[in-house]
Amino acid sequence: MNKRKDTSLPTLKDVARESGVSAITVSRCFRHPELVSAEVRARVMQVVDRLGYVPNSAASALASRRTGVICLLLPSLSNNVYVDVVNGAYDRAYGTAHTIQIGNHKYSPLEEEKLVRVFLQQNPAGLIVAGGEQTGAARDLLERADCRVVQIMDSQVRPIDLAIGLDHERAGADAVEGLLARGYCRIGFLGARMDARSQKRLQGYRNALFRAGADERVSTSPSPSSARLGALLLSDLLARHPDTDAVFTNNDDIALGAYLECQRRGMRLPDAFGICGFNDLDLLEELNPPLSTVRTDRYQMGWQSVDRLIALANTDRPTGSGTVDLGYACMWRGTTRPAPATVPERRDRAG
């Protein structure tokens, strides 16, 4: 008869005994490596590799009430704006006991609510969500969650714990005021998939034109953003308002499409027509002429949100909440005329 194979797995105590340290020190190597010296950590990890020890994250979560998982809920993973957020989050979590788990709700509040319910069952160290437009049920879940919550992308929301982002309405107004200062007076707005933050940029556009006594001219679409759609939106706007002399767009994909459409039509940038986008993707500065836009720091939104959650993961939820406004910068480049010397530049605005 074959002897039954021993299927017992190495335990934390086995690792501690073989490493010559306490079980608490082994636990810290996984949960709080920054509290253990590099020499001890290296010795413990050698034993971990030799024995094939796997930490029991479920048991750890029961003991501490929370896992080391930070859940990041985003409306898109194909949009370059959110790629920068993800990179910032992963870079901050790298080398710590925390891991990032991503959920993509594709701009659906109901799907976001479902993901909130799923992630909260995992006893996460914290949740990061985009904006403040959750359903009432999702908001209630987040407010009652046994972990911290960071809302990113928008500083003008009612924070659950902490909001990290920028004022989109004010940024939109500054961009349009910058176009007006450069001599453009018949400015249009192009926008796709008009989520809450894009709606705020549109409101900023309207506020600036109202103060200037200028008429608005708007072309939007519920479809996802793309350069092709930007070209179509500009064509639609020019068909209805052929005297338009500039556009402000809700993002850089739409701005790029407008840029290419202008080139196809032989419209001279920036003398005959001006374009200003939003977000400042890397490609824009490499164009000829380079595209004007509003720079936002999405990487820092991801990095700082994880940084705050790591710092606060084992503390009780505070009675108050806060906001971090990362500001923005209007990057005036080759698709807009230079401003007159009498007009001061408005850059790096933050609250």
Side-chain angles (χ1 to χ4, degrees):
M1 182 180 293
N2 291 334
K3 195 179 273 189
R4 189 174 185 178
K5 185 177 180 180
D6 183 8
T7 58
S8 60
L9 296 174
T11 66
L12 184 142
K13 289 183 178 179
D14 294 332
V15 175
R17 184 183 63 253
E18 294 290 323
S19 303
V21 299
S22 68
I24 292 177
T25 298
V26 175
S27 178
R28 282 177 180 160
C29 285
F30 290 101
R31 296 178 56 196
H32 301 289
E34 69 277 5
L35 300 180
V36 183
S37 71
E39 179 184 356
V40 171
R41 201 162 62 242
R43 188 164 77 246
V44 169
M45 297 316 292
Q46 285 179 353
V47 173
V48 167
D49 290 341
R50 177 163 56 83
L51 297 182
Y53 171 70
V54 178
N56 188 335
S57 58
S60 175
L62 288 172
S64 65
R65 294 191 306 163
R66 299 187 186 114
T67 64
V69 174
I70 293 174
C71 301
L72 176 59
L73 281 70
L74 296 173
S76 172
L77 295 180
S78 59
N79 189 323
N80 286 328
V81 170
Y82 296 107
V83 172
D84 291 338
V85 172
V86 170
N87 286 336
Y90 270 93
D91 284 352
R92 178 60 186 91
Y94 182 79
T96 73
H98 292 81
T99 58
I100 305 297
Q101 186 170 353
I102 299 176
N104 177 12
H105 55 76
K106 299 185 178 180
Y107 292 93
S108 168
L110 291 177
E111 183 67 19
E112 182 183 34
E113 178 186 322
K114 184 173 77 173
L115 288 172
V116 168
R117 294 181 187 277
V118 170
F119 284 161
L120 286 178
Q121 293 174 10
Q122 302 176 23
N123 298 326
L127 272 81
I128 303 169
V129 297
E133 296 74 44
Q134 290 74 35
T135 66
R139 171 103 190 177
D140 185 58
L141 287 168
L142 293 171
E143 289 177 342
R144 293 187 289 108
D146 186 27
C147 64
R148 298 299 181 85
V149 176
V150 178
Q151 294 152 277
I152 59 171
M153 311 306 292
D154 193 344
S155 64
Q156 302 302 299
V157 298
R158 181 165 57 96
I160 296 169
D161 284 329
L162 180 67
I164 301 176
L166 67 136
D167 186 334
H168 292 264
E169 185 174 323
R170 192 176 67 181
D174 272 3
V176 176
E177 288 175 2
L179 289 170
L180 290 165
R182 285 161 174 76
Y184 302 105
C185 56
R186 298 178 297 278
I187 303 168
F189 178 91
L190 307 180
R193 184 170 266 170
M194 296 294 291
D195 62 11
R197 289 172 292 283
S198 290
Q199 292 287 351
K200 290 179 179 181
R201 296 168 204 165
L202 174 57
Q203 187 58 51
Y205 160 85
R206 286 173 166 154
N207 293 344
L209 291 188
F210 177 79
R211 288 191 290 266
D215 295 329
E216 65 180 63
R217 41 190 77 196
V218 175
S219 181
T220 64
S221 169
S223 300
S225 295
S226 68
R228 175 60 180 159
L229 182 58
L232 293 174
L233 289 174
L234 179 59
S235 295
D236 170 72
L237 187 73
L238 291 176
R240 292 185 288 113
H241 305 282
D243 61 340
T244 300
D245 62 1
V247 289
F248 169 57
T249 69
N250 77 316
N251 63 45
D252 289 336
D253 289 338
I254 299 301
L256 178 59
Y259 177 100
L260 296 173
E261 183 63 20
C262 285
Q263 289 189 334
R264 277 192 288 269
R265 291 171 176 247
M267 299 166 64
R268 292 181 295 109
L269 301 172
D271 297 329
F273 200 83
I275 303 174
C276 180
F278 199 98
N279 280 317
D280 196 21
L281 301 181
D282 292 341
L283 170 67
L284 304 190
E285 204 165 0
E286 304 306 318
L287 299 174
N288 185 24
L291 217 158
S292 297
T293 187
V294 178
R295 173 175 291 173
T296 62
D297 202 339
R298 289 92 57 197
Y299 180 91
Q300 277 299 313
M301 292 178 203
W303 199 99
Q304 289 197 29
S305 60
V306 173
D307 183 65
R308 298 300 181 94
L309 288 176
I310 289 175
L312 302 173
N314 295 310
T315 63
D316 292 331
R317 173 168 277 177
T319 55
S321 56
T323 299
V324 176
D325 191 335
L326 295 177
Y328 54 88
C330 292
M331 311 301 295
W332 300 112
R333 298 179 179 135
T335 57
T336 49
R337 303 167 189 149
T342 55
V343 177
E345 291 289 339
R346 303 174 70 178
R347 301 283 292 274
D348 294 309
R349 291 281 302 272

